[in-house]
Amino acid sequence: MTDPVVRMATALALALGAVPAQADEVLVAVAANFAAPMTRLAEAFTAATGHTLKLASGSTGKFYSQIVSGAPFEVLLSADDTTPKRLIAEGHAVAGSAFTYAVGQLVLWSATPGLVDAQGAVLASGRFQKIAIASPKTAPYGRAAMEVLVALGLEGPLSLKLVTGESVAQAYQFVATGNAELGFVALSQVSVPGKAPVGSMWRVPASLHAPMRQDAVLLKAGAGKPAAAALLQWLRTEPAQAVIQSYGYVRG
């Protein structure tokens, strides 16, 4: 193996005797902002435990609706800390299983170098026609983006320029494809380990929006399933956290 994270994960698993005699598959709902790191984590998790992950990425709000309607997801990696609590309270997730796996960072990003300045002053400049955000109704990063606009007094002035995506992944695509000159996305989408950042961005001060605490939770469909429990345990390990932090997240 060439990936040092995979090597560390495997060594950890062997030291703990964690590799199971019979591997299993876990169906995981992953918040759109965490799709890239989770893809890498999935490889390391399989190396560490023998279990495999079947990943679906999308907006947290949409996943909530699907889970309540009976979707067979076994683990939810949410983009907020309120949805897992709500699922527990409503009997769709296991009490005591939720924990913060990462704290996200909201950024204002443009694929065009120099368009977004380090203070975010471009928002009030009028030098753009469209700004993309995730849906505030279904996506926590979209809610945070609206909180920023409200805090800056720009919710009204920019209302006609907003392009809304179902998830933060779609908001990113709007900007990446030029359908919007700039947009609010997750730092993890534009700051990929080992690659130079593309375009220009402003790291939004945390004081302008609610904390982006992202919680994981064991869903009722995964209750009693060793592979699902192993995933939640593994996300807390140092190898997993090293990957998560390399994408710009802060440890919860």
Side-chain angles (χ1 to χ4, degrees):
M1 297 179 190
T2 58
D3 191 328
V5 174
V6 174
R7 290 201 301 271
M8 285 190 292
T10 304
L12 176 65
L14 293 174
L16 297 176
V19 177
Q22 184 172 359
D24 203 352
E25 183 180 76
V26 186
L27 183 55
V28 187
V30 184
N33 73 89
F34 201 67
M38 194 59 210
T39 298
R40 187 178 179 195
L41 285 165
E43 179 186 356
F45 175 73
T46 297
T49 67
H51 301 305
T52 57
L53 303 180
K54 186 175 182 180
L55 307 177
S57 65
S59 70
T60 294
K62 185 174 181 179
F63 281 137
Y64 168 80
S65 298
Q66 292 174 340
I67 291 165
V68 170
S69 297
F73 295 116
E74 296 163 325
V75 170
L76 170 66
L77 300 182
S78 179
D80 62 11
D81 59 357
T82 57
T83 300
K85 291 182 176 69
R86 185 178 179 186
L87 288 168
I88 290 173
E90 295 174 352
H92 301 290
V94 177
S97 67
F99 67 95
T100 301
Y101 65 90
V103 179
Q105 168 74 59
L106 183 70
V107 298
L108 179 68
W109 174 69
S110 174
T112 303
L115 179 59
V116 177
D117 58 285
Q119 291 75 40
V122 65
L123 286 171
S125 71
R127 292 192 294 115
F128 60 92
Q129 296 300 314
K130 297 294 181 182
I131 177 171
I133 66 169
S135 170
K137 295 181 179 179
T138 61
Y141 276 75
R143 289 198 295 272
M146 288 305 300
E147 290 171 7
V148 172
L149 295 181
V150 170
L152 296 176
L154 294 172
E155 179 185 20
L158 294 182
S159 61
L160 297 180
K161 294 187 175 185
L162 292 179
V163 178
T164 304
E166 181 181 83
S167 67
V168 73
Q170 191 170 51
Y172 171 86
Q173 285 300 320
F174 286 150
V175 182
T177 57
N179 289 302
E181 295 100 313
L182 66 165
F184 285 101
V185 300
L187 176 60
S188 60
Q189 294 173 290
V190 297
S191 182
V192 179
K195 295 184 179 181
V198 175
S200 52
M201 69 176 175
W202 169 50
R203 295 194 183 200
V204 179
S207 59
L208 294 178
H209 59 80
M212 302 295 296
R213 300 184 66 85
Q214 302 191 192
D215 278 14
V217 69
L218 179 64
L219 301 171
K220 281 298 178 71
K225 189 169 183 178
L231 172 60
L232 293 175
Q233 180 182 6
W234 192 78
L235 284 172
R236 302 173 188 251
T237 66
E238 290 305 321
Q241 284 295 316
V243 173
I244 292 169
Q245 292 169 42
S246 74
Y247 280 84
Y249 293 94
V250 177
R251 190 163 194 164

